[in-house]
Amino acid sequence: MTKPRIGIAGLGTMGLGIAQVFASAGFSVVATDAQALARENARDRMASALGKRVEAGKLSSQARDDTLSRLTIVAAPEDLTGSSLVIEAIIEDMVAKRALFAQIEPALSPEAVLATNTSSLPVGGVAQGLTRPGRLLALHFFNPAPAMKLVELAGHADTDGDAIALARRLTEAAGKTVIDCPDRPGFIVNRCARPYYGEALALQEEGRSPADIDAAMLAAGYRLGPFSLIDLVGADVNLAATRGMWTAMDGHPRYHVFDSLIRQVQSGALGRKAGRGFLFPDAPGAPPADAQAIVKRIESTLINEAGWLFAEGGVTPDGIDTAMRLGLNFPYGPFAALQRHGRDSVLETLAALETAAPAHLAGRYRPAPIVTGG
Ligand SMILES: NC(=O)c1ccc[n+]([C@@H]2O[C@H](COP(=O)([O-])OP(=O)(O)OC[C@H]3O[C@@H](n4cnc5c(N)ncnc54)[C@H](O)[C@@H]3O)[C@@H](O)[C@H]2O)c1
């Protein structure tokens, strides 16, 4: 049976990667971009990405050629006609995304699904103005899309159940693990990761060194410590994501933007791309004597954030754990961590943190119902 056609709008980092995911899995992919240059060199860019896999012995040259033969580049969004699923990966701008979907929708059948790859915009907002808003949902891929197994799927309040089912089926057929999540800021991973950085920055402001904090997390099985992760992604990118989440969550102290992160960005030591960061080019050394206490504190806040998300509905503990393992390479998810530490002990840690919290962080450590047993 011929596989349904997949449309892609936006051939930047994410769009090209998502196109490769579906073309590699045997789907015919039709793709477009507003920039002529991006359309013209898309095939070469995909060929180069696949070529690296051929050189590494992970892909045959026949499979590379077959994948490339399934890619068709078209001039305009209206040309994505015939697609069963269109995934948008253009700039992160609500007005631009709405305008794009308004152009695409009339070219598709009423059963087709429209998906946004937005990282931070409300899915319901992107659907506004469509004739069939029930056909729109979010499929949030991670970078690099071909390598990252996880895709977060979020419908908005009025997304049709069969649109969600079709998007899930096609994305799973392309080899991804699809986790349902609510239309909430940051979905699962970008939100539940906040305390990994935030609590590390809180510890740093209390006088602990990034090397000690990272070493403690490495000793617990995390592949990269919080500061090494910020150095990898860029302190400026981390600051923008933190500010975005703080704003989206109405300035709740759980998403506090720590001064040390702002100062780090102002200093220009943004991480790997700047040649120096919080820790880079150094590596963490041996874990400090109180490594377990550091891990307990950071994991307690990760558990609590996951607990608050769970309390809002639309996601399961298993879904959150899987998303955190696949999206961040965590050795285990927050609910598995809750099992390890035990509820009473996490509650005790959060209570001690809340008691010691300065005025501007009051309420930061208020325990979620799953932690209190409520
Ligand atoms: N980069 C990431 O790590 C990442 C991860 C997950 C989600 N996202 C989201 O994916 C989307 C794309 O991000 P990216 O990093 O690939 O961006 P990018 O800048 O690499 O690519 C965006 C592409 O979209 C094109 N474009 C812009 N406006 C367009 C329009 N109106 N119609 C058609 N094409 C248009 C641009 O020419 C560009 O080629 C954003 O919504 C972003 O938030 C990014």
Side-chain angles (χ1 to χ4, degrees):
M1 207 182 84
T2 0
K3 288 189 168 165
R5 178 185 295 189
I6 308 295
I8 305 286
L11 284 163
T13 308
M14 295 308 294
L16 191 75
I18 298 167
Q20 184 184 319
V21 165
F22 283 96
S24 298
F27 290 88
S28 64
V29 173
V30 51
T32 191
D33 194 287
Q35 301 279 338
L37 184 64
R39 295 195 300 273
E40 283 158 20
N41 65 21
R43 181 176 303 279
D44 286 348
R45 284 183 287 140
M46 193 186 287
S48 152
L50 293 167
K52 290 196 183 103
R53 292 182 54 76
V54 174
E55 277 163 34
K58 291 180 177 162
L59 190 74
S60 70
S61 33
Q62 182 65 53
R64 175 199 57 201
D65 295 348
D66 289 348
T67 298
L68 288 169
S69 74
R70 292 185 202 108
L71 176 69
T72 307
I73 304 294
V74 294
E78 293 85 346
D79 302 330
L80 299 176
T81 174
S83 304
S84 299
L85 167 67
V86 172
I87 303 170
E88 158 285 307
I90 68 165
I91 50 168
E92 187 74 339
D93 178 272
M94 181 66 96
V95 174
K97 287 186 192 295
R98 279 186 191 155
L100 176 82
F101 281 125
Q103 264 180 295
I104 295 173
E105 189 184 37
L108 301 181
S109 87
E111 291 78 37
V113 175
L114 299 168
T116 172
N117 188 46
T118 183
S119 303
S120 60
L121 300 172
V123 185
V126 179
Q128 268 176 35
L130 289 176
T131 309
R132 298 180 293 272
R135 306 311 294 174
L136 187 132
L137 45 76
L139 280 174
H140 185 233
F141 287 75
F142 289 74
N143 188 16
M148 298 293 285
K149 268 271 186 204
L150 178 68
V151 176
E152 294 174 325
L153 192 170
H156 56 85
D158 298 317
T159 301
D160 300 343
D162 70 305
I164 290 180
L166 179 61
R168 168 185 281 282
R169 188 163 58 74
L170 296 178
T171 311
E172 284 178 348
K176 297 301 180 191
T177 300
V178 178
I179 303 288
D180 287 317
C181 56
D183 182 13
R184 296 284 297 140
F187 302 126
I188 299 173
V189 173
N190 286 343
R191 171 167 165 185
C192 291
R194 295 318 336 143
Y196 196 59
Y197 314 111
E199 210 50 32
L201 290 161
L203 276 157
Q204 190 208 10
E205 289 195 355
E206 290 168 23
R208 299 308 302 253
S209 72
D212 272 2
I213 298 164
D214 273 24
M217 298 315 287
L218 290 189
Y222 290 80
R223 280 208 209 158
L224 278 178
F227 291 101
S228 301
L229 252 177
I230 296 177
D231 285 347
L232 179 68
V233 176
D236 52 339
V237 175
N238 189 285
L239 176 60
T242 307
R243 280 190 167 137
M245 187 61 66
W246 182 81
T247 306
M249 300 302 274
D250 300 323
H252 193 287
R254 285 207 312 276
Y255 312 98
H256 179 74
V257 184
F258 284 90
D259 285 344
S260 68
L261 180 61
I262 296 171
R263 282 197 304 273
Q264 188 73 19
V265 173
Q266 285 167 347
S267 79
L270 300 178
R272 287 183 192 218
K273 63 186 171 188
R276 70 198 166 90
F278 277 108
L279 201 53
F280 188 83
D282 296 334
D290 63 345
Q292 283 187 355
I294 292 175
V295 172
K296 176 82 176 301
R297 173 166 170 177
I298 292 178
E299 287 189 344
S300 294
T301 57
L302 286 166
I303 291 165
N304 204 34
E305 188 61 45
W308 281 114
L309 175 62
F310 175 60
E312 290 167 19
V315 65
T316 64
D318 259 8
I320 293 179
D321 274 7
T322 304
M324 296 301 275
R325 282 191 288 101
L326 296 182
L328 278 170
N329 277 325
F330 275 11
Y332 45 87
F335 289 94
L338 178 61
Q339 292 282 318
R340 284 170 171 233
H341 294 297
R343 219 168 56 195
D344 289 349
S345 151
V346 171
L347 201 52
E348 206 175 285
T349 302
L350 293 172
L353 287 167
E354 186 65 34
T355 304
H360 66 279
L361 294 182
R364 176 175 171 85
Y365 303 100
R366 191 160 69 84
I370 199 153
V371 182
T372 58

